[in-house]
Amino acid sequence: MKKTLSAVYALFCYAIGFLSLLYWIASTGNLFPEASIDGVPVMDTGSAILKNLGLVFLFGIQHTVMARRGFKKWIIRFIPAHLERSTYVLATGIALTLLVWQWEPLGGVIWQVSNESVWYNVLYGMFFTGWVILFISTFLINHFDLFGLRQAYLRIRNEPYKAIDFKVVAFYKYSRHPLYLGTLIGIWSTPLMTVTHLVYSLLLTTYILVGLYYEEKDLIHVFGEQYLAYKRSTPRIIPIKLKQ
């Protein structure tokens, strides 16, 4: 019975996490007017910016703190260890949905490309390319481990959890964090850059850079010299290696 409940919980968390990603993409790209981060401002500019800052801060705290080793050790005192990652995915899905759903429009247009222009298609092509890079990158690591399903599956089979080996394949040969590279391409590639979208992109980019600092500290702790050598030879995000 416990194993069945664990499987149901893991699948539920996966669904929430995956659907939140789709909602995020649709909102960022204005794919559906009802889900767009843009709209008619309903708050004064100062209050709207403060609220948006708070939403990114809340998401950043959840996404960064829950991923740290110390928090993981603490939380498995209250939940089974094999459901720790699923719980993280669930919390991330909720925090991301809240960020997008509650994002306050600011009004104003920085640039707008006509849908009859070739650049309109180029920008949307880049937009979708970014998210494809993100999704492919999850499978290059191990999509089901990243989203908590593998841990629950191994528990059902009474097999011990074995961490994913460090490997450098495909995108990871050119960027240490193609997940974030895809995200940055996705959030910045838009034919309609409003003030709302600009603030959104700037704040999320800032969070990504801050979050990467802590993520790489954990990776160095786990993989040691192997990751340090990789860090020295591979660009952090943008796949351009600068000359020393």
Side-chain angles (χ1 to χ4, degrees), residues 55-183:
L55 289 168
V56 174
F57 180 76
L58 179 64
F59 174 75
I61 289 295
Q62 176 275 317
H63 200 249
T64 299
V65 173
M66 286 189 71
R68 302 286 70 81
R69 299 188 309 276
F71 185 90
K72 292 178 181 181
K73 289 180 181 178
W74 174 80
I75 199 171
I76 60 174
R77 293 163 55 189
F78 309 100
I79 63 172
H82 64 279
L83 296 179
E84 177 273 322
R85 186 67 188 181
S86 291
T87 302
Y88 172 79
V89 169
L90 174 63
T92 298
I94 293 171
L96 183 58
T97 299
L98 182 66
L99 183 150
V100 176
W101 172 46
Q102 288 295 307
W103 194 263
E104 289 295 334
L106 299 167
V109 175
I110 307 299
W111 73 66
Q112 183 171 9
V113 178
S114 168
N115 57 10
E116 297 179 358
S117 168
V118 65
W119 288 107
Y120 181 90
N121 295 320
V122 168
L123 286 167
Y124 260 126
M126 292 174 62
F127 170 82
F128 286 110
T129 297
W131 301 115
V132 167
I133 290 172
L134 181 149
F135 279 111
I136 291 176
S137 297
T138 68
F139 283 95
L140 292 173
I141 300 171
N142 186 310
H143 178 84
F144 301 107
D145 188 271
L146 194 64
F147 280 82
L149 290 179
R150 177 172 172 262
Q151 293 85 331
Y153 174 74
L154 291 174
R155 176 65 176 177
I156 291 171
R157 292 177 58 86
N158 292 319
E159 295 180 16
Y161 175 75
K162 183 177 182 297
I164 300 298
D165 293 332
F166 180 78
K167 56 184 178 181
V168 179
V169 296
F171 300 146
Y172 287 89
K173 294 179 180 179
Y174 311 102
S175 168
R176 302 200 302 273
H177 301 283
L179 275 165
Y180 295 115
L181 172 62
T183 299

Side-chain angles (χ1 to χ4, degrees), residues 41 43-55 103-106:
M43 296 177 67
D44 64 89
T45 302
S47 298
I49 289 175
L50 284 175
K51 181 180 178 181
N52 292 340
L53 276 168
L55 289 168
W103 194 263
E104 289 295 334
L106 299 167

Side-chain angles (χ1 to χ4, degrees), residues 219-231:
L219 289 168
I220 292 169
H221 180 269
V222 173
F223 297 109
E225 181 56 38
Q226 189 177 20
Y227 191 82
L228 286 172
Y230 176 60
K231 184 178 179 181

